[in-house]
Amino acid sequence: MKNQRKRGTARFFLLGPQRHRPTVVTAVRALGLSGNDLRVATVTAGWQEREGEDQELRDHLVGSTTNLELYRRAERVFERDPELATAHRERQDLFRRMQAAYRARLRFAIDACREMGRGAELGDDVYRIEWSAAMDAVRDLDRAHLERVREAREAFDERWRPTERDAVARERKEIREILERVNVLAIAGGQVAVLGNRLRLFGIGEMWGGKPVVAWSAGAMAIVERIIVFHDSPPHGPGNPEVLDVGLGWCSGVVPLPHARRRLRLDDRERISRTATRFQPDRCVALDDGSGLEWTGSRWEAWPGTRLLHSDGTVTEMEPSSAGRTPATQEVA
């Protein structure tokens, strides 16, 4: 599975949810780090006000850990720099309106794709051709939305230059000192938009460089090229996967789908086919408890239990790599 386009030889682990089966320590062990050699900077900003409730994560990692406290730091920045806070709030409001408009158009595009798919399943070549055209329309809509979000982000950065502002620079100085002392960056899940915005605000990628990253759940979603949100059976709404935002782009080639067992109808071949085809050439990977992907520096390798969505509507377990091994529950360093 070779499709990494970004970070060359840097090591990345994209893991499933950690609540019931913590495996972060398995990833850091794969790096040859434990005990006094393990120094981890953690990011739990996606937990928002609960950012500091990270004792379980600290206990799991055992080694030295330092929470970067990006959520709390961002709140402090907005308090000290009300002009930036206002601009940030207005940009987020713009993003919400853009997402609503995209979602409305997407609903009709997906409905057309679904309708053509039903005819194609009956063997009608006309519907098969129209299904391809309908899918192209969905993908064009995704690309256009992502490009508009990207342009809005670039315009914001050009106008406000967040990392150069005093309030942000002061926090970045402290963060940089922490990052220079650690050898692993661990990014937890939570609210993916909040998490991505805080990582961007402080320019974490620029300061971190090429050292290993372990990210799980929303953390894994945030660091790839596109943030795709999904839930096939939400409490309200049509349940279509949506392109939410430009990802940090630290790694590429995959669309992480954490909590897939709970959020996707993995036995619905039409939905699986549509999702896998729609996001090609990236590969849609189901990340459930205990599963994970590792970017070794030259290729993605799967942990046992990691599953791949295919364009024919099937979901199969990826062949475990020789480097992968079954992560044990509650392993400690």
Side-chain angles (χ1 to χ4, degrees):
M1 186 174 178
K2 298 182 178 181
N3 200 9
Q4 174 75 352
R5 298 188 288 271
K6 288 291 180 184
R7 288 246 163 169
T9 57
R11 300 279 295 276
F12 293 95
F13 293 84
L14 307 182
L15 308 182
Q18 297 292 299
R19 177 177 293 276
H20 302 295
R21 193 172 178 186
T23 55
V24 176
V25 76
T26 303
V28 297
R29 275 187 164 184
L31 296 167
L33 299 170
S34 63
N36 293 332
D37 294 332
L38 178 60
R39 300 180 302 280
V40 184
T42 61
V43 176
T44 57
W47 301 351
Q48 302 179 78
E49 290 83 2
R50 294 178 48 249
E51 178 180 59
E53 299 176 17
D54 60 353
Q55 190 57 52
E56 284 188 33
L57 178 58
R58 292 172 180 271
D59 292 344
H60 176 62
L61 287 170
V62 178
S64 172
T65 64
T66 305
N67 194 321
L68 293 183
E69 300 182 321
L70 299 188
Y71 187 82
R72 185 177 64 84
R73 290 180 188 275
E75 293 301 296
R76 196 157 54 209
V77 164
F78 294 146
E79 188 176 310
R80 290 171 175 165
D81 190 340
E83 188 179 46
L84 181 63
T86 299
H88 174 83
R89 190 166 51 249
E90 290 175 349
R91 186 196 65 183
Q92 293 307 110
D93 180 63
L94 171 64
F95 283 164
R96 278 188 285 273
R97 288 184 283 121
M98 290 169 63
Q99 195 70 23
Y102 158 73
R103 184 180 302 126
R105 293 183 62 194
L106 181 66
R107 184 172 63 246
F108 293 106
I110 291 287
D111 284 349
C113 202
R114 184 184 296 116
E115 188 67 24
M116 297 305 108
R118 290 193 187 107
E121 284 181 356
L122 297 175
D124 190 321
D125 288 340
V126 171
Y127 279 86
R128 187 173 294 112
I129 293 170
E130 292 299 331
W131 182 88
S132 296
M135 176 57 70
D136 286 345
V138 171
R139 299 178 70 174
D140 287 346
L141 181 58
D142 288 342
R143 276 192 290 268
H145 176 62
L146 189 65
E147 191 55 35
R148 281 192 282 273
V149 172
R150 190 191 311 278
E151 290 171 357
R153 284 201 169 279
E154 290 174 353
F156 179 89
D157 290 344
E158 178 68 22
R159 169 70 178 83
W160 297 102
R161 299 185 180 279
T163 57
E164 298 175 15
R165 300 178 75 89
D166 289 346
V168 178
R170 187 186 307 182
E171 302 292 343
R172 273 171 56 88
K173 182 175 182 299
E174 294 180 7
I175 294 169
R176 186 187 300 276
E177 290 172 357
I178 295 170
L179 294 180
E180 288 175 350
R181 297 197 300 267
V182 302
N183 45 23
V184 177
L185 181 63
I187 305 175
Q191 219 285 349
V192 67
V194 170
L195 174 60
N197 282 337
R198 271 57 183 177
L199 288 165
R200 275 197 174 86
L201 176 64
F202 297 109
I204 299 301
E206 172 193 327
M207 289 191 283
W208 183 243
K211 288 187 281 188
V213 176
V214 181
W216 59 97
S217 295
M221 296 166 66
I223 68 170
V224 297
E225 291 188 310
R226 296 178 290 182
I227 297 177
I228 309 297
V229 292
F230 60 97
H231 200 309
D232 283 352
S233 305
H236 51 79
N240 296 318
E242 297 178 15
V243 176
L244 178 69
D245 200 347
V246 181
L248 292 167
W250 296 357
C251 54
S252 61
V254 296
V255 174
L257 303 172
H259 300 281
R261 190 189 308 275
R262 303 178 185 92
R263 296 179 179 174
L264 292 177
R265 299 179 202 164
L266 295 172
D267 58 349
D268 186 332
R269 294 188 65 143
E270 192 277 331
R271 274 182 174 268
I272 295 301
S273 171
R274 183 168 7 105
T275 299
T277 304
R278 179 179 167 189
F279 297 116
Q280 288 175 345
D282 292 343
R283 308 184 77 181
C284 293
V285 180
L287 293 178
D288 286 301
D289 297 347
S291 66
L293 286 175
E294 176 185 356
W295 176 254
T296 64
S298 60
R299 57 178 290 151
W300 285 111
E301 295 186 345
W303 283 9
T306 307
R307 293 182 291 175
L308 187 65
L309 279 59
H310 299 276
S311 58
D312 66 358
T314 59
V315 181
T316 63
E317 184 169 340
M318 300 173 72
E319 184 178 350
S321 67
S322 57
R325 62 188 179 87
T326 304
T329 303
Q330 292 287 3
E331 278 190 307
V332 295

